[in-house]
Amino acid sequence: MSDPTVVPGLEGIPATHSAISQIDGAAGQLFYRGYPIAELVAQSHYEEVALLLLDGELPNAQSLERFDAGLRAHRQVKYNVREIMKFLPVTGHPMDMLHCAVASLGMFYPQQELSDAERENASHLDSMAMRIIARIPTIVAMWDQMRFGNDPIPPRADLCHAANFLYMLHGQDPDPLHVRILDACFILHAEHTINASTFSVLVSTSTLTNPYHVIAGAIGTLAGPLHGGANQQVVQMLEEIGKIERVEAYLESKLAAKEKIWGFGHRVYKTRDPRATILKGMMQDLAQAGHLRHSRLFEIALGLEAAAEKHLGPKGIYANVDFYSGVLYHEMGIRADLFTPIFAMARSVGWLAHWREQLSNNRIFRPTQIYTGAAPRSYLPLAERP
Ligand code: COA
């Protein structure tokens, strides 16, 4: 047998079989269960896409209604979760809060420890997944009230997933256009094959730990700036550039210093990320309808994308999903440090679809390594060490 080789970042190494989503990196296409992402954004909504990802097929009216009613009924989280959150520092990043609060849910909902029979029972797994998806937005919105000294705004069962989140965040009936855009962002962020956080889901699920540990681990993985954290960095970068005239100089200085341009590049897409194209179209629609409040940022984003494409396009580096999502959230009056928690809210669906898929054909992950350390040797007592 030839010597094994380490592939840094496991680039191109299949870690599992999966029927959930598919990327064609060369053509810039993304499919959920075979459906092109653009069709789902144009014709479906998040609740339906969630069920498609979890179950494998578009739902009929009855199962969609049941799932949607379940989401609406389980938005409340136990009072004691809120008590834990009260003791977290308000200056902390909301992703750190979310990681901690979601992990704590496993203590408050102990039935989430699965027996062998439950692991084989699809409807039990569905109901657990639905409850987690329902509660994460409540935790994020609650925190945004609590950290500014306000009482959390209770969720409303008469609103869809996206509208309810905006309502809990801002305390007023949301603008229907914002609801539509946020719903589209949720769809676009719901799933994306075996990225770093989803890979962490496979690894932790394979140990048969409870799903709250699985999702908390994925939240922690998503928080890094090379993954979900990039959308917050994008808006900070655009603010730092400040005006369109500075785009070229900013770009050149960053590239000369070998620094990354946030919201660009992707391990799999070697052309434009289809999600970025859809989000950019939404920004353009907003601008044309005269609804754009922060047109300066959008103008800088357009300028930066064009300039970066000139420099980075030949290397196969283009704008990714995070480039425009942050600008859209900013437009809706959402604070920048909530952008990544919103990504986590949406992605919880994809993570839970992979959790179920891994459980259906599980073997614990245990890769190997190529040892590069010292050869076996004898312990030296302290007095004899040089
Ligand atoms: N800006 C400038 N250069 C970039 C770049 C970016 N955003 N992304 C990649 N590159 C360059 C690297 O510097 C490297 O150049 P080199 O070959 O001259 O050293 C080359 O492209 C390969 O980059 P690498 O980081 O090894 O690719 P990867 O596949 O390991 O990483 C990302 C993919 C997404 C982590 C990477 O593109 C990145 O850090 N992007 C910025 C963060 C971001 O937007 N993340 C969200 C992803 S959806």
Side-chain angles (χ1 to χ4, degrees), residues 39-60:
E39 278 184 33
L40 293 172
V41 170
Q43 297 181 50
S44 186
H45 54 84
Y46 182 67
E47 288 83 338
E48 184 178 65
V49 170
L51 213 42
L52 168 70
L53 288 167
L54 290 165
D55 282 359
E57 294 297 337
L58 285 169
N60 62 24

Side-chain angles (χ1 to χ4, degrees), residues 263-310:
F264 279 82
H266 200 274
R267 173 64 61 80
V268 186
Y269 295 116
K270 294 306 162 206
T271 180
R272 199 167 283 121
D273 178 339
R275 303 166 301 170
T277 308
I278 295 170
L279 292 173
K280 182 178 176 181
M282 283 180 187
M283 291 291 313
Q284 280 161 332
D285 291 348
L286 271 180
Q288 266 162 21
H291 281 284
L292 208 57
R293 290 183 304 156
H294 302 96
S295 47
R296 182 179 59 90
L297 275 200
F298 182 46
E299 193 192 356
I300 298 169
L302 285 178
L304 181 61
E305 189 192 3
E309 239 177 78
K310 246 188 340 193

Side-chain angles (χ1 to χ4, degrees), residues 77 81 84-85 88-89 92-106 132-144 165 212-213 215-220 222-223 337-348 351:
V77 294
V81 177
I84 287 184
M85 290 164 65
L88 299 176
H93 195 285
M95 281 300 274
D96 299 346
M97 174 287 301
L98 190 61
H99 183 263
C100 168
V102 169
S104 81
L105 294 179
I132 294 174
I133 296 161
R135 286 176 186 138
I136 294 179
T138 307
I139 293 172
V140 175
M142 257 169 47
W143 177 250
D144 203 45
F165 176 67
Y212 290 108
H213 286 310
I215 300 304
I219 289 168
L222 183 73
D337 62 1
L338 295 185
F339 298 171
T340 317
I342 292 173
F343 189 159
M345 282 161 42
R347 184 56 60 84
S348 62
W351 290 333

Side-chain angles (χ1 to χ4, degrees), residues 197-243:
S197 56
T198 304
F199 186 45
S200 87
V201 165
L202 301 188
V203 174
S204 53
T205 302
S206 80
T207 72
L208 303 185
T209 189
N210 79 46
Y212 290 108
H213 286 310
V214 171
I215 300 304
I219 289 168
T221 310
L222 183 73
L226 295 188
H227 194 5
N231 54 10
Q232 179 179 348
Q233 310 281 346
V234 167
V235 169
Q236 283 161 2
M237 173 181 72
L238 297 176
E239 301 271 22
E240 194 186 324
I241 295 174
K243 49 185 181 184

